[in-house]
Amino acid sequence: MSNELYIIGDQSRMVVKNLILQLVRTDCRINVLPPLIGEIDKLPDAPIQLLVLLSDDIEFLVVRRIAVLQKQFNYTLCFIGRISNLSIEDNNFFNKIQAIKLESYTVDVEKLLKLMNQYSNNKKRILVVDDEPILLRSIKLWLDNEYDLILVNSGETALQFLETHIVDLVLLDYRMPMMDGPEVLAAIRNNIKLKNLPVIFLTANNDRQSVITAMQFKPDGYILKSKSPEEIKAAVVDFFKKQNP
């Protein structure tokens, strides 16, 4: 279980204050920020566990900003409480946010932390980069249930996405127009923020020389496109098992 928890909440409210006090008594390291836009932007630009304590005094703009950061940095997010009298648009937006949602402040904090930890370990985020729409659709079909997939069709788009988003793995087509796989990998390795990001090549070439050439660029592995869906899925599963033995 993660030992650090970020909390957004108004500590002047008794229910909020009491819940925070219960959380302080756990083994977690607690970081509390008020529900203000300027404070929200102080949250880390990395995956965190974030608990948001809602009330009618919180502007929905705060929730929208948190949702943006979650998509960028893969936050594990939990909302407790509610904001009443939301517009239809805001309510629809809130319902689409991927998060644990509990309306009652009467919660067992140990169970809550365990639930958040399970939720955070639920899906790894994978960026799939390939210029072939059919392959992108196939990868989504094969892996979407187990992983959070982002699909892009060019190396340039992939690098733009990685500048502002956190992923756990890149599945990278070896041959693409304009900017091929090795060029994308070189750009990743030369970026101080991305240099340790795992990258696995997707390649249609299975001859010995092609494999040797691919490995010269020091990816974290390669997967042949000719493999069956089960074999491709197994290769990804095996990679994450080795990452977290």
Side-chain angles (χ1 to χ4, degrees):
M1 180 181 295
S2 172
N3 67 345
E4 184 162 26
L5 177 68
Y6 285 81
I7 302 174
I8 302 295
D10 180 3
Q11 294 189 78
S12 67
R13 299 184 67 234
M14 187 59 66
V15 289
V16 170
K17 187 174 182 178
N18 287 341
L19 182 56
I20 291 174
L21 285 174
Q22 291 181 62
L23 289 164
V24 167
R25 296 189 187 105
T26 68
D27 293 332
C28 279
R29 186 164 66 253
I30 305 297
N31 307 279
V32 183
L33 297 173
L36 304 171
I37 286 293
E39 298 296 323
I40 301 303
D41 288 333
K42 295 178 182 179
L43 290 169
D45 54 354
I48 59 170
Q49 292 189 328
L50 177 62
L51 179 61
V52 183
L53 306 180
L54 298 175
S55 71
D56 287 341
D57 296 329
I58 295 178
E59 292 185 41
F60 195 72
L61 192 61
V62 168
V63 175
R64 286 183 174 273
R65 180 58 183 159
I66 289 170
V68 170
L69 294 175
Q70 181 201 32
K71 285 186 176 181
Q72 285 185 306
F73 304 118
N74 202 18
Y75 289 174
T76 298
L77 187 56
C78 176
F79 291 103
I80 294 182
R82 61 193 296 268
I83 303 175
S84 60
N85 300 320
L86 289 177
S87 68
I88 294 175
E89 180 185 354
D90 286 345
N91 190 61
N92 289 337
F93 181 91
F94 182 74
N95 289 336
K96 291 177 181 178
I97 299 174
Q98 293 186 355
I100 301 165
K101 296 170 183 174
L102 307 170
E103 289 198 2
S104 174
Y105 275 87
T106 304
V107 296
D108 182 319
V109 295
E110 292 292 346
K111 289 183 179 179
L112 171 63
L113 294 175
K114 184 177 181 180
L115 180 62
M116 291 187 70
N117 190 61
Q118 291 173 341
Y119 193 86
S120 67
N121 293 330
N122 189 30
K123 285 190 176 183
K124 296 290 187 180
R125 178 178 282 192
I126 302 175
L127 175 65
V128 186
V129 189
D130 200 295
D131 63 308
E132 299 178 22
I134 293 176
L135 184 79
L136 289 177
R137 288 196 295 269
S138 297
I139 292 287
K140 182 174 178 63
L141 179 65
W142 302 335
L143 300 179
D144 198 39
N145 286 338
E146 286 78 19
Y147 301 100
D148 180 12
L149 298 182
I150 300 96
L151 311 177
V152 300
N153 61 6
S154 73
E156 296 89 342
T157 303
L159 292 174
Q160 291 172 6
F161 180 87
L162 289 171
E163 280 296 324
T164 55
H165 294 77
I166 299 291
V167 301
D168 299 293
L169 173 66
V170 178
L171 293 179
L172 177 62
D173 187 14
Y174 189 85
R175 296 190 183 281
M176 293 183 291
M178 301 298 291
M179 190 175 197
D180 64 16
E183 290 177 294
V184 176
L185 180 56
I188 289 173
R189 294 292 180 255
N190 289 328
N191 186 319
I192 191 168
K193 294 193 304 181
L194 304 175
K195 63 180 182 178
N196 295 318
L197 175 62
V199 177
I200 293 178
F201 275 137
L202 294 169
T203 176
N205 301 322
N206 61 0
D207 60 280
R208 182 174 180 274
Q209 186 56 51
S210 294
V211 172
I212 291 173
T213 300
M215 296 309 292
Q216 286 177 345
F217 295 98
K218 297 182 178 179
D220 295 85
Y222 69 93
I223 297 175
L224 298 176
K225 293 182 180 181
S226 59
K227 287 185 176 292
S228 68
E230 291 76 17
E231 289 174 314
I232 291 175
K233 182 176 178 179
V236 175
V237 170
D238 186 58
F239 168 78
F240 282 120
K241 282 184 178 178
K242 290 178 179 177
Q243 291 287 101
N244 299 285

